[in-house]
Amino acid sequence: MSAISRRRFIGSAAAVSAIPLIGSSARAQADWPSKPIKIIAGYPAGGQTDLFSRTYGEYIRAETGQSVTVENKAGASGSVAAAEAKRAAPDGHTLMFTITTTMIMNRVLIKDIPYDAEKDFVIVSIMPAGSLPFVVGEKTGAKTFAQFIEYAKKADKVNIGTYGAGSYAHMAIAEMNKAYGLKMEAVHYRGEAPMWTDLAGGFIDGAHGSYGAALSVLQSGRGTAVAVSRKRMSTLPDVPSFAELGAKPRLFQLTGFQCCVVPSGTPPEVIQKLSKLLVAAGKTEKIQKLMKSFGIDDTAMTFEETQKLYKEEAPVWLEAVSSLGLAPS
């Protein structure tokens, strides 16, 4: 057989052998899901990410008839979960639920990060996490944002709690200092619970965090919400957003989020099916009730909406966290 004929034969054989594989792949995509689904939750049981994972997972199970299990892989701001999820087969049967920090900020905050958020994953749907209230304590005597700014300018020292170095709250305090000529000091806690306890006890002047975690302080009257990030909340309708109050930095309009991601290489058809399921789930009464408990008004976004938002806002997040000058840990 001549060299040319041999090459033609080998090429033809390869093409023929590939036909059943292509058909098999197409059938697998059409049949998705064809086996149990695993959701890796990047944060501890009982938290917002965990609750979203389980509630959305219940909807997927009910709609597809496949079992759905949730595994909590907490640690290193979602990095432990991401390192495991990226190794999963890209077939839509392993999902990860995580947050903005894991997908964006960790690039700046963690040295030798074990995953590349943009190369290793595709974000299927963003679930906006809602606006965060900026709450000031009784000791300030402030009932409005303007009154608090006046207090902060006169006080010798003003301490504002955050739920972690490099968090949105940390960035917001830095932006407020620049925008209003203040010298507020960010006090970093390991999570929100101790932060709100200290605010209620009068040990700090204010705190910036989630509505659900702040609720007890707000209901007790030991703290007053004077502004919210991004936009007004249905749960705090009388509290203006930072933008409404004249704050110019783009940071105050960014969308913090939960999200569902899959390993890169997952077939587009599977991603679209999953996206439609998540969007439909976000409109159910059960998930609407869950969202309300966290002060969230916006439902899960389509794949196209998700990609647009991420491309527009990720660079702003990265610039804001980089400006804090934190050394990667």
Side-chain angles (χ1 to χ4, degrees):
M1 184 183 291
S2 70
I4 293 175
S5 298
R6 188 181 298 111
R7 282 197 298 270
R8 285 175 178 169
F9 173 78
I10 292 171
S12 299
V16 170
S17 67
I19 290 173
L21 295 177
I22 293 171
S24 175
S25 174
R27 284 195 299 274
Q29 294 171 28
D31 294 342
W32 180 90
S34 58
K35 61 183 180 180
I37 293 171
K38 179 171 75 173
I39 296 176
I40 299 174
Y43 291 83
Q48 187 171 330
T49 304
D50 174 66
L51 292 172
F52 270 58
S53 300
R54 295 180 188 279
T55 312
Y56 276 91
E58 286 176 11
Y59 182 85
I60 293 171
R61 177 194 57 75
E63 289 297 308
T64 65
Q66 288 289 349
S67 65
V68 178
T69 58
V70 176
E71 293 184 6
N72 297 92
K73 297 289 183 179
S77 300
S79 294
V80 172
E84 177 173 330
K86 80 171 188 178
R87 294 192 293 268
D91 58 8
H93 292 95
T94 300
L95 321 177
M96 178 173 69
F97 272 65
T98 191
I99 64 172
T100 323
T101 302
T102 308
M103 298 307 295
I104 302 176
M105 279 87 89
N106 279 356
R107 293 175 228 176
V108 176
L109 300 174
I110 296 180
K111 183 168 56 178
D112 300 324
I113 188 169
Y115 64 96
D116 185 314
E118 294 193 348
K119 290 182 179 178
D120 294 333
F121 300 107
V122 176
I123 307 179
V124 178
S125 178
I126 279 176
M127 299 95 170
S131 295
L132 303 182
F134 179 60
V135 182
V136 299
E138 289 181 290
K139 64 188 289 187
T140 68
K143 297 298 179 184
T144 66
F145 186 70
Q147 290 173 356
F148 172 75
I149 295 300
E150 188 176 336
Y151 165 84
K153 287 182 175 179
K154 294 178 181 178
D156 294 330
K157 189 175 183 180
V158 178
N159 294 320
I160 306 296
T162 85
Y163 46 91
S167 64
Y168 176 85
H170 187 188
M171 292 182 266
I173 292 166
E175 291 294 347
M176 279 190 273
N177 280 341
K178 287 188 284 186
Y180 299 100
L182 305 177
K183 295 181 180 180
M184 298 186 295
E185 184 174 333
V187 180
H188 306 303
Y189 291 83
R190 302 189 77 172
E192 291 196 55
M195 176 181 79
W196 295 115
T197 298
D198 274 7
L199 179 63
F203 297 107
I204 53 178
D205 299 278
H208 202 15
S210 68
Y211 170 80
L215 193 56
S216 62
V217 173
L218 295 172
Q219 291 177 334
S220 69
R222 293 182 178 179
T224 301
V226 295
V228 298
S229 64
R230 192 169 167 243
K231 66 177 186 177
R232 287 200 188 217
M233 307 167 64
S234 61
T235 48
L236 294 171
D238 298 325
V239 181
S241 67
F242 281 110
E244 287 179 272
L245 291 165
K248 302 297 184 185
R250 181 80 170 87
L251 175 77
F252 293 120
Q253 298 169 35
L254 295 181
T255 305
F257 56 78
Q258 306 285 330
C259 64
C260 173
V261 311
V262 293
S264 291
T266 300
E269 296 86 350
V270 172
I271 289 173
Q272 284 294 344
K273 285 186 177 182
L274 179 56
S275 171
K276 289 176 182 177
L277 274 174
L278 295 171
V279 170
K283 297 175 182 177
T284 61
E285 183 178 353
K286 186 168 187 177
I287 292 183
Q288 288 286 313
K289 186 176 180 180
L290 175 65
M291 288 165 52
K292 187 174 181 180
S293 71
F294 287 104
I296 298 172
D297 296 316
D298 298 315
T299 59
M301 302 171 71
T302 66
F303 177 71
E304 291 75 20
E305 292 168 338
T306 291
Q307 297 307 305
K308 183 176 184 294
L309 179 73
Y310 180 82
K311 287 175 183 176
E312 289 176 352
E313 297 196 354
V316 186
W317 281 111
L318 287 170
E319 182 180 355
V321 70
S322 297
S323 70
L324 297 174
L326 296 171
S329 59

